[in-house]
């Protein structure tokens, strides 16, 4: 049996992604967002062939290990990408939860996604980037108690806008940044909710 845990980071409310190795090409990273006391998980597969099922696992603040909280059946053979979702409404304010998805193949082998960490609570708008400095991947963690759509602008050191990203309508979420497309240097990330705005420095060191 093969066990692999992915990297990539994607939410007090805040989220981080933990892990160390590379996900298989057929399994994308796990994203988590909090809305109305429900944690919404989303992940993708690519060129899916022999998946038996996806098992969603969670570990709470006081729990020593991950426990299974649900399963999602595969869509079957897919020659392109396929998006899967799972909603966890069994979370409590003031707790921190770690999530991961276990992709089990029909031959018994399995892989884990990255681990997404989300804290339930917090009344202030907050933005952080993890890791920073970054080499190949970075993620922006956003706590937005007021909810609503989020717009993110990425600027180079001279103020030229390089990319614009749109966040979900959620009170807590983690959004990946296209660091692998950037050269080493200093960049600026602006997060704007229409009510709050924050600009953070991002250092890319390859």
């Amino acid at each position: 049996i093969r066990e692999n845990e992915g990297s990539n980071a994607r939410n007090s409310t805040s989220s981080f992604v933990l892990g160390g190795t590379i996900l298989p090409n057929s399994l994308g990273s796990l994203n988590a967002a909090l809305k109305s006391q429900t944690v919404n998980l989303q992940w993708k597969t690519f060129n899916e062939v022999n998946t038996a099922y996806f098992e969603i696992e969670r570990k709470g603040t006081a729990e020593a290990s991950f426990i299974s909280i649900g399963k999602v059946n595969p869509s079957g053979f897919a020659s392109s990408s396929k998006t899967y979702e799972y909603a966890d409404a069994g979370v409590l304010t003031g707790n921190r939860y770690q999530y991961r998805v276990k992709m089990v193949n029909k031959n018994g082998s399995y892989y884990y996604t990255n681990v997404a960490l989300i804290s339930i609570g917090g009344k202030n708008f907050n933005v952080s980037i993890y890791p920073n400095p970054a080499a190949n991947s970075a993620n922006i963690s956003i706590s937005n108690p007021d909810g609503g759509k989020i717009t993110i602008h990425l600027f180079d050191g001279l103020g030229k806008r390089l990319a614009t990203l749109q966040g979900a309508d959620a009170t807590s979420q983690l959004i990946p940044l296209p660091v692998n497309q950037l050269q080493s240097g200093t960049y600026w990330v602006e997060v704007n909710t229409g009510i709050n705005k924050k600009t953070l420095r991002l250092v890319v060191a390859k």
Side-chain angles (χ1 to χ4, degrees):
I1 294 178
R2 297 176 298 168
E3 177 179 347
N4 290 289
E5 183 170 319
S7 60
N8 253 349
R10 208 188 205 275
N11 278 286
S12 209
T13 310
S14 63
S15 166
F16 300 95
V17 173
L18 314 175
T21 59
I22 301 300
L23 292 171
N25 291 334
S26 59
L27 182 60
S29 61
L30 174 65
N31 297 325
L34 177 67
K35 184 177 182 181
S36 302
Q37 289 300 106
T38 297
V39 177
N40 298 302
L41 304 175
Q42 187 180 92
W43 67 98
K44 287 186 177 183
T45 61
F46 305 91
N47 300 315
E48 189 178 331
V49 178
N50 65 340
T51 306
Y53 60 89
F54 299 94
E55 186 170 13
I56 292 80
E57 298 183 354
R58 185 187 72 190
K59 183 167 71 171
T61 304
E63 295 170 329
S65 59
F66 282 91
I67 61 172
S68 175
I69 61 172
K71 288 185 177 181
V72 174
N73 292 324
S75 61
F77 176 81
S79 58
S80 57
S81 64
K82 171 66 178 179
T83 300
Y84 292 91
E85 296 180 340
Y86 184 87
D88 178 20
V91 295
L92 300 175
T93 300
N95 287 347
R96 302 179 70 185
Y97 298 95
Q98 296 181 48
Y99 292 91
R100 66 186 184 186
V101 174
K102 182 179 182 181
M103 182 180 74
V104 181
N105 293 322
K106 294 178 181 179
N107 63 4
S109 64
Y110 60 91
Y111 286 97
Y112 283 111
T113 64
N114 53 283
V115 176
L117 170 63
I118 188 166
S119 297
I120 312 300
K123 298 180 180 180
N124 298 319
F125 174 72
N126 188 53
V127 180
S128 62
I129 297 175
Y130 177 87
N132 192 8
N136 298 314
S137 63
N139 297 266
I140 182 167
S141 173
I142 303 170
S143 174
N144 182 32
D146 294 326
K149 294 292 185 180
I150 292 174
T151 301
I152 300 168
H153 297 301
L154 175 64
F155 301 92
D156 65 15
L158 299 177
K160 178 182 178 182
R161 187 168 65 186
L162 302 178
T164 297
L165 308 174
Q166 297 296 329
D169 181 2
T171 54
S172 179
Q173 59 190 295
L174 191 77
I175 300 173
L177 294 173
V179 173
N180 61 327
Q181 303 175 26
L182 302 177
Q183 297 180 347
S184 296
T186 298
Y187 299 84
W188 298 96
V189 178
E190 179 189 279
V191 179
N192 194 335
T193 69
I195 299 175
N196 297 290
K197 183 169 71 172
K198 188 170 185 179
T199 302
L200 298 177
R201 188 176 75 155
L202 168 65
V203 177
V204 177
K206 297 185 177 181

